Amino acid sequence: MPSNPRDPGLYEESPALTTVFDGARATVRHLRKSKVVVVSGAEQGREVEVGKPRVTGGRSIINDLVLSDKAISGSHFEILARDDGYRLRDLDSTNGTFIGDLRIREVWLKPGSEFRVGHTTLRFVPTQDIVEIPLSKRDTFESVTGSSVRMREIFATLEKVAPSELTVLVTGETGTGKEMIARGIHQASPRKNKPFVVLDCGAIPKDLIESTLFGHEKGSFTGAVAQHQGCFEQAHGGSIFLDEIGELDINLQPKLLRVLENRELKRVGGDRVIKIDVRVVAATNRDLRQMVNASTFREDLYFRLSVIHVELPPLRERKEDIPALADVFLREIAGRRNMSMAFAGDAVATLQAHSWPGNVRELKNVVERAASLAEGSLVQKSDLMFNRDTTPRASSGANGGGHRGGGGGVAMPAPEIVPGLDFKEAKQRVVDAFELAYLKQLLERHDGNITRSAQEAGLTRYHLRELLKRHGLTNVKE
């Protein structure tokens, strides 16, 4: 007798996401819809459709399923659709996520699975409905390259969004190409012939950031010897890219929110209201949801910035893009030298085997270094020099050459400043070296224990795990 097509058991082993191919070329992604139903608690009967690759739940309005239960964290859990099923993950909540009596960090969901957050019980229910997720027909978006399914899915979104006035939040690990995406959005918009202004919110001293953003009048503070137009005024008619938005001081966030809502500002020390016409793209490598939970980033500002949210995958999750990206970088270098260059086959295989903690930025640096070392026009495997382990060694004496930080006791070598790097890349190399040294010593002190390490570092366990993952430090314990 044929099975009932509505039987949830039919969906138990089927993937949440499937890719449809025409020959070897992926053409579209299919997302099998599900829903999360509140079966007990204050919102009993409420449900949310899982019709996109990520759905979140918690008390904050930034979530897809908003729950009023006071025992639930601001962003408490998320459900992720993957090729091999749906995954429930706790977002480092205060009171935890439970299946039965077991507190879980992440788990694969079966049809009918029930889980508890706070005093609320929810049930995961699959449906027969399918959502089509389009893939771009192109392997590029402006100057960004990627033939992988993940990148073509992002390109399809950007092709629709770029011509609009929508605010875009771009997230992803350091070096994934967030600024290139922002520039691509600007170039693909009607504003492309107008200014594109970049502000790194983490590179401006705290006492200057307000003036840098909004400008100041002459005499408004010591050193204000002339009137100054801020970045928003400079970007009038065009786009502004607020990089590292997670570093913006909490006390300045309300003023930025008012500018985004009203499209007008006042300079520091001024009374005149200045109208602005600006498209805003923001980016961060930090988890703003966790910052909202920790009250270090405003919930309403997050909501305003993430009208469209684009999350860039790390390079290790799209290794099929590495040959094309490396070729783009090599052709740029060869063009500057008025010659033709190529990779040997074993060199390409070696590039694809690397874990790339520094992502696309690291790949570009490795290719540039290899092109300089190559004898002739062919880059060999032996020409590839990956970023060495920059773990600092403790200074053996007063003249040992190390610089010891006071609070954390992290010994740092003098940073290697490579000629030709811009300020941001040079700074990021120093930051990466510090993070790796700090994390290794932190884990060593706590015998690899995540909870104790996070407490000392003042980080959430989730944030610490993500940092460890990025630096390839996976030998840890809960």
Side-chain angles (χ1 to χ4, degrees):
M1 186 170 65
S3 301
N4 178 358
R6 295 185 180 275
D7 181 0
L10 290 176
Y11 303 101
E12 186 164 331
E13 302 301 328
S14 60
L17 276 169
T18 55
T19 305
V20 179
F21 289 85
D22 181 4
R25 179 76 169 172
T27 56
V28 71
R29 297 266 271 170
H30 284 168
L31 171 65
R32 178 167 52 84
K33 280 187 180 180
S34 298
K35 58 184 178 180
V36 178
V37 180
V38 181
V39 296
S40 69
E43 277 83 20
Q44 183 173 352
R46 180 179 296 179
E47 60 183 57
V48 62
E49 183 178 77
V50 183
K52 56 184 181 178
R54 178 194 297 179
V55 167
T56 63
R59 284 205 334 271
S60 170
I61 61 171
I62 69 177
N63 296 289
D64 301 286
L65 177 59
V66 180
L67 301 165
S68 61
D69 185 341
K70 292 184 178 179
I72 293 176
S73 296
S75 288
H76 196 107
F77 69 89
E78 66 182 2
I79 295 177
L80 304 169
R82 292 291 183 258
D83 292 347
D84 43 2
Y86 280 101
R87 183 170 64 181
L88 169 67
R89 182 163 70 173
D90 182 81
L91 294 177
D92 206 29
S93 63
T94 301
N95 295 322
T97 299
F98 291 81
I99 290 185
D101 293 328
L102 297 177
R103 181 168 181 167
I104 62 97
R105 190 172 79 191
E106 58 183 63
V107 69
W108 295 109
L109 289 171
K110 291 184 176 182
S113 292
E114 292 190 356
F115 59 96
R116 178 170 52 83
V117 291
H119 306 301
T120 301
T121 301
L122 304 106
R123 180 183 296 132
F124 173 74
V125 183
T127 73
Q128 299 183 82
D129 297 331
I130 297 292
V131 176
E132 280 202 352
I133 301 175
L135 305 180
S136 174
K137 295 179 180 178
R138 304 179 61 189
D139 294 341
T140 59
F141 175 73
E142 295 300 321
S143 60
V144 184
T145 298
S147 60
S148 61
V149 169
R150 293 279 297 277
M151 292 306 292
R152 289 176 53 213
E153 184 179 325
I154 290 170
F155 293 167
T157 299
L158 296 176
E159 287 164 1
K160 293 180 180 178
V161 169
S164 73
E165 294 296 303
L166 295 174
T167 301
V168 182
L169 175 65
V170 187
T171 59
E173 293 180 6
T174 298
T176 47
K178 297 185 287 293
E179 184 172 338
M180 290 185 69
I181 290 290
R183 288 185 183 276
I185 291 171
H186 176 73
Q187 288 299 318
S189 77
R191 297 173 178 265
K192 64 181 180 180
N193 295 320
K194 299 293 185 178
F196 178 77
V197 176
V198 178
L199 175 67
D200 184 344
C201 298
I204 309 297
K206 183 178 178 180
D207 56 345
L208 294 179
I209 186 68
E210 183 175 3
S211 169
T212 304
L213 275 171
F214 309 124
H216 62 252
E217 299 293 352
K218 180 179 179 180
S220 56
F221 55 86
T222 303
V225 296
Q227 185 188 77
H228 170 69
Q229 286 190 341
C231 290
F232 272 93
E233 283 186 80
Q234 295 171 32
H236 183 73
S239 306
I240 186 169
F241 175 49
L242 301 176
D243 199 8
E244 305 298 349
I245 189 67
E247 306 301 323
L248 188 66
D249 184 78
I250 187 71
N251 296 315
L252 191 57
Q253 291 177 22
K255 188 164 186 177
L256 175 60
L257 179 63
R258 287 194 295 272
V259 171
L260 296 179
E261 289 179 336
N262 302 326
R263 289 301 194 256
E264 60 184 30
L265 57 82
K266 290 181 181 179
R267 297 182 187 133
V268 176
D271 295 321
R272 183 167 65 93
V273 173
I274 300 169
K275 295 287 185 180
I276 54 166
D277 171 24
V278 175
R279 169 81 174 275
V280 177
V281 181
T284 182
N285 62 358
R286 303 184 67 177
D287 189 335
L288 294 186
R289 295 170 308 170
Q290 293 295 326
M291 293 182 68
V292 169
N293 282 351
S295 300
T296 55
F297 200 86
R298 288 180 62 105
E299 178 181 77
D300 45 8
L301 179 57
Y302 175 88
F303 204 68
R304 175 65 62 175
L305 289 171
S306 60
V307 176
I308 300 294
H309 182 188
V310 175
E311 184 170 6
L312 298 182
L315 191 55
R316 63 182 173 274
E317 293 181 6
R318 56 180 186 110
K319 288 195 171 184
E320 61 268 45
D321 290 338
I322 289 174
L325 285 167
D327 188 58
V328 167
F329 299 144
L330 189 61
R331 279 191 281 112
E332 288 177 358
I333 298 164
R336 295 197 297 266
R337 300 178 182 177
N338 293 317
M339 62 183 293
S340 177
M341 298 189 75
F343 287 101
D346 60 349
V348 175
T350 301
L351 290 173
Q352 287 190 286
H354 188 57
S355 60
W356 300 111
N359 292 298
V360 179
R361 182 180 294 142
E362 182 187 356
L363 173 62
K364 183 176 183 181
N365 291 338
V366 168
V367 171
E368 288 183 343
R369 195 156 49 214
S372 299
L373 295 172
E375 295 181 3
S377 61
L378 192 64
V379 176
Q380 304 282 354
K381 176 181 177 180
S382 58
D383 298 321
L384 299 174
M385 294 177 59
F386 298 99
N387 292 342
R388 66 181 185 274
D389 184 353
T390 53
T391 306
R393 302 288 185 261
S395 173
S396 58
N399 298 316
H403 303 278
R404 183 173 296 277
V410 180
M412 291 294 295
E416 176 188 9
I417 306 301
V418 179
L421 289 184
D422 62 23
F423 172 80
K424 188 172 181 180
E425 288 192 19
K427 183 184 81 168
Q428 190 58 51
R429 287 198 177 194
V430 176
V431 171
D432 288 343
F434 164 76
E435 286 184 358
L436 182 60
Y438 182 91
L439 294 170
K440 281 189 172 183
Q441 294 182 29
L442 181 70
L443 290 174
E444 186 177 346
R445 283 196 298 277
H446 296 290
D447 194 28
N449 184 281
I450 283 278
T451 300
R452 293 199 302 268
S453 297
Q455 287 172 348
E456 179 185 326
L459 300 170
T460 65
R461 293 191 305 274
Y462 176 81
H463 188 191
L464 179 57
R465 281 194 296 267
E466 291 301 304
L467 280 174
L468 294 171
K469 188 189 304 179
R470 186 164 76 82
H471 289 284
L473 303 174
T474 56
N475 187 23
V476 296
K477 299 177 290 188
E478 288 299 314

